[in-house]
Amino acid sequence: MKKSLIALAVSAAVALPGFAAADAATVTGDARYRMHSIQTTDDLAGTDDVEASANHRVRIKVNAKGEGYYVKSRFSTSDDKSDTSKDNSIKADYGFLGVNLGPVTVEGGRVQDNWGNRFLSWDEDYDQIAALFKAGEMDISVWRETVTEGGSYDKDADEDDADIITTGVDVTGKAGMGNFGVRLESMVSEK
């Protein structure tokens, strides 16, 4: 836990001068507590089954926007469960920077991926770099992300040590009264 708090403090110290100079910065968050309990009785077998669990989570979002850039980040506690060992660590769910370069915005960092109206991807995050631009009513994103980092190259290592890299293109826009989206991606697994 101490290492997580030190990393968070160092990250905050580095980011604060940027937020202080930002045109607009917001801090928001949410908290969740869930609990369920089920008790069943089997009179014939003479048994009672009790199932109960609870978990909680707290998330803090810090976003900033300045002239020609934006920063988006979210920190959270782990989903602690009452019936398992406690993990009170703080982690960065995502944290990325976007820089406007004329008609193209370049985004990079631990990017949050919400795509396909929750059918394909929701609240996923990847190490990613992307070029975002508009073409009329369409939003286009060309991106490359590291899904799994296998470590140092070793020609004798198992395939499990491979890097998994995905390159893709997203196109979204309006279609009549609704919206459309197309995602093309290519995944490569190599040492």
Side-chain angles (χ1 to χ4, degrees):
M1 181 176 166
K2 288 180 182 176
K3 289 181 183 177
S4 297
L5 290 177
I6 290 169
L8 182 61
V10 169
S11 299
V14 171
L16 282 177
F19 289 137
D23 296 336
T26 59
V27 178
T28 59
D30 62 79
R32 177 185 74 197
Y33 181 78
R34 293 180 178 166
M35 183 174 155
H36 88 275
S37 178
I38 299 173
Q39 181 172 349
T40 58
T41 302
D42 185 346
D43 291 334
L44 296 176
T47 60
D48 288 336
D49 291 328
V50 177
E51 178 186 320
S53 70
N55 68 34
H56 69 277
R57 173 195 72 206
V58 176
R59 296 190 300 198
I60 304 292
K61 292 182 185 179
V62 181
N63 296 331
K65 187 174 184 178
E67 189 174 328
Y69 77 93
Y70 57 88
V71 176
K72 296 184 178 185
S73 60
R74 185 175 75 192
F75 304 95
S76 69
T77 61
S78 58
D79 281 330
D80 285 338
K81 295 180 173 54
S82 61
D83 57 349
T84 60
S85 62
K86 300 293 184 200
D87 177 11
N88 295 318
S89 61
I90 297 172
K91 64 177 184 145
D93 292 333
Y94 58 83
F96 58 95
L97 170 69
V99 179
N100 298 322
L101 303 172
V104 176
T105 299
V106 176
E107 221 173 54
R110 190 81 179 159
V111 179
Q112 184 182 34
D113 185 31
N114 294 325
W115 202 90
N117 197 24
R118 297 189 185 207
F119 291 116
L120 184 61
S121 174
W122 189 256
D123 207 21
E124 300 286 337
D125 53 281
Y126 301 101
D127 291 326
Q128 183 183 95
I129 187 161
L132 315 167
F133 55 96
K134 287 190 163 292
E137 291 289 316
M138 293 186 298
D139 291 318
I140 300 171
S141 172
V142 179
W143 48 270
R144 183 174 173 94
E145 67 190 19
T146 302
V147 179
T148 302
E149 197 166 337
S152 300
Y153 175 75
D154 180 356
K155 66 180 180 130
D156 297 323
D158 294 336
E159 185 64 26
D160 293 343
D161 293 334
D163 291 341
I164 300 175
I165 306 292
T166 302
T167 304
V169 176
D170 293 344
V171 179
T172 58
K174 299 205 177 291
M177 295 175 54
N179 297 317
F180 75 91
V182 176
R183 174 172 274 186
L184 305 170
E185 64 181 54
S186 172
M187 185 177 288
V188 176
S189 175
E190 59 189 9
K191 295 180 183 177

